[in-house]
Amino acid sequence: MHLIDSFTSTSKINLYLDIVGRDPIDGYHYIESIYYEIPWGDDFEIYSSQQDYVEFIDISLEEIPQENTVTKALKLFKEKFKITESYYIKIKKNVPMGAGLGGGSGDAGSLLKWLARRFDIEITNCISIAQKIGSDVPFFLYGKMALVEGKGEIVTPLENTLKGMHLVIIYPNIHVSTKKAFEIIAQNNCITNSKSQQLKNLKKNKLELDNLKKLIYNIFNNSLQILNQDLYEFRKNLDDFLSPDIIMMTGSGSSFILFYQDKENMDHIKKKIAHNINHSKIFIHSI
């Protein structure tokens, strides 16, 4: 067994997320969302092996099911393209689970892209595989920034025009089940704030920094008191203490994104975070 390659996956944040319907047959929700890929990911090492085996390290085995996004991606790719090579894949988890960052989907997408490069296969031929793994996985075959619709399978790449924005992503060590979060929204008949026409226009126009405040929205963030009271209080404290230009939750939670435009202010915020925020995972990224 020898090391073939190593790489780091990516995750995502939602700059906009609304639920606009539900499939009456399978129960999956239809969404409208803007995804932005961030370089916060899990560390992969891929070795040659006599049989396929995926191992997650530095995380409780109870947290990762035996059949997970990575095992599914490997199995489905090999079946579709008749691959006989086997791999031992070791993954160090860095992205928190249940954080609304799509860490598991990013892992699957990154592995599919690696396999496609290895066997000289067009990544578009992997879209059907990605759709079978999870609703966020197709986005990670494109990455960067995209308008995502349907059940996640309709991905329209967008030009990144948000240069100069500084992001602080804070995970408060509170796990939120995606399935449970969607159920709560459905049960409480939360009103959507759909801006469908504005989103459609993004296919033709750029998402400028000036109109981000007008567009940015997350139905889960706007229903936070119903979703989780602890998260609601955490958000209020972040807003008061760190005074971001924009604050919102990403995905169905529980990470919060804090947006800053001024670099000098951002440097001050970094010092406040370093000295005052404990027991949370924090990722800082400049676009």
Side-chain angles (χ1 to χ4, degrees), residues 207-246:
L207 177 61
E208 300 288 356
L209 195 61
D210 291 342
N211 64 24
L212 180 61
K213 285 186 179 180
K214 298 177 183 177
L215 181 64
I216 204 162
Y217 174 77
N218 184 339
I219 189 172
F220 295 98
N221 186 83
N222 286 39
S223 309
L224 202 49
Q225 273 189 291
I226 300 171
L227 186 66
N228 188 301
Q229 184 66 30
D230 290 338
L231 281 179
Y232 177 75
E233 295 296 333
F234 187 81
R235 182 198 185 284
K236 285 203 306 182
N237 291 336
L238 285 179
D239 205 357
D240 293 340
F241 180 61
L242 297 178
S243 304
D245 295 325
I246 306 172

Side-chain angles (χ1 to χ4, degrees), residues 57-71:
I57 61 174
D58 293 345
I59 190 169
S60 170
L61 295 179
E62 289 76 20
E63 295 183 63
I64 305 283
Q66 188 172 0
E67 185 181 51
N68 51 71
T69 59
V70 177
T71 59

Side-chain angles (χ1 to χ4, degrees), residues 31-33 147-156 200 203:
I31 65 167
E32 291 178 338
S33 188
L147 174 63
V148 178
E149 301 170 278
K151 302 175 191 176
E153 80 282 8
I154 306 172
V155 180
T156 305
K200 300 299 184 205
K203 295 179 180 180

Side-chain angles (χ1 to χ4, degrees), residues 13-283:
I13 56 174
N14 298 82
L15 300 177
Y16 181 95
L17 175 58
D18 200 7
I19 301 170
V20 296
R22 191 172 191 175
D23 190 321
I25 298 175
D26 61 23
Y28 280 91
H29 292 84
Y30 297 114
I31 65 167
E32 291 178 338
S33 188
I34 300 172
Y35 284 30
Y36 178 78
E37 185 180 32
I38 57 172
W40 186 4
D42 299 329
D43 298 323
F44 278 65
E45 290 182 356
I46 301 183
Y47 298 82
S48 62
S49 179
Q50 294 298 313
Q51 60 183 11
D52 291 326
Y53 183 66
V54 176
E55 180 181 19
F56 291 86
I57 61 174
D58 293 345
I59 190 169
S60 170
L61 295 179
E62 289 76 20
E63 295 183 63
I64 305 283
Q66 188 172 0
E67 185 181 51
N68 51 71
T69 59
V70 177
T71 59
K72 289 177 183 177
L74 181 58
K75 179 176 181 290
L76 292 172
F77 185 93
K78 289 181 64 174
E79 287 177 352
K80 179 170 183 175
F81 299 109
K82 306 296 189 290
I83 304 301
T84 57
E85 285 188 9
S86 293
Y87 306 101
Y88 163 51
I89 302 176
K90 183 166 69 173
I91 305 169
K92 181 180 181 293
K93 285 295 294 179
N94 300 314
V95 179
M97 299 175 64
L101 297 168
S105 297
D107 288 346
S110 294
L111 179 60
L112 287 175
K113 288 192 289 186
W114 181 84
L115 289 166
R117 288 193 302 269
R118 182 169 178 80
F119 294 100
D120 196 24
I121 293 170
E122 288 290 334
I123 195 61
T124 52
N125 292 327
C126 296
I127 293 174
S128 60
I129 297 174
Q131 291 173 351
K132 293 177 182 177
I133 301 169
S135 58
D136 286 345
V137 181
F139 163 74
F140 285 100
L141 300 187
Y142 299 87
K144 298 181 181 179
M145 186 163 71
L147 174 63
V148 178
E149 301 170 278
K151 302 175 191 176
E153 80 282 8
I154 306 172
V155 180
T156 305
L158 300 173
E159 183 179 347
N160 179 9
T161 57
L162 299 180
K163 303 294 185 182
M165 179 70 82
H166 306 282
L167 310 180
V168 178
I169 301 170
I170 300 179
Y171 170 67
N173 286 322
I174 299 173
H175 180 281
V176 172
S177 163
T178 300
K179 181 179 179 182
K180 183 178 179 182
F182 272 87
E183 287 175 351
I184 289 173
I185 294 294
Q187 289 168 2
N188 287 275
N189 296 314
C190 295
I191 299 173
T192 69
N193 188 43
S194 182
K195 301 178 181 180
S196 296
Q197 191 55 51
Q198 289 176 258
L199 293 175
K200 300 299 184 205
N201 288 340
L202 290 177
K203 295 179 180 180
K204 302 176 182 178
N205 304 325
K206 300 175 182 178
L207 177 61
E208 300 288 356
L209 195 61
D210 291 342
N211 64 24
L212 180 61
K213 285 186 179 180
K214 298 177 183 177
L215 181 64
I216 204 162
Y217 174 77
N218 184 339
I219 189 172
F220 295 98
N221 186 83
N222 286 39
S223 309
L224 202 49
Q225 273 189 291
I226 300 171
L227 186 66
N228 188 301
Q229 184 66 30
D230 290 338
L231 281 179
Y232 177 75
E233 295 296 333
F234 187 81
R235 182 198 185 284
K236 285 203 306 182
N237 291 336
L238 285 179
D239 205 357
D240 293 340
F241 180 61
L242 297 178
S243 304
D245 295 325
I246 306 172
I247 181 172
M248 67 180 298
M249 191 166 67
T250 180
S252 57
S254 58
S255 294
F256 290 94
I257 322 162
L258 287 69
F259 298 80
Y260 298 91
Q261 297 182 39
D262 185 81
K263 187 179 185 304
E264 289 186 7
N265 186 32
M266 185 66 226
D267 293 337
H268 173 65
I269 293 300
K270 286 180 182 178
K271 293 177 183 178
K272 291 186 74 172
I273 289 172
H275 291 97
N276 296 281
I277 296 185
N278 301 313
H279 311 298
S280 297
K281 287 192 176 183
I282 299 169
F283 181 77

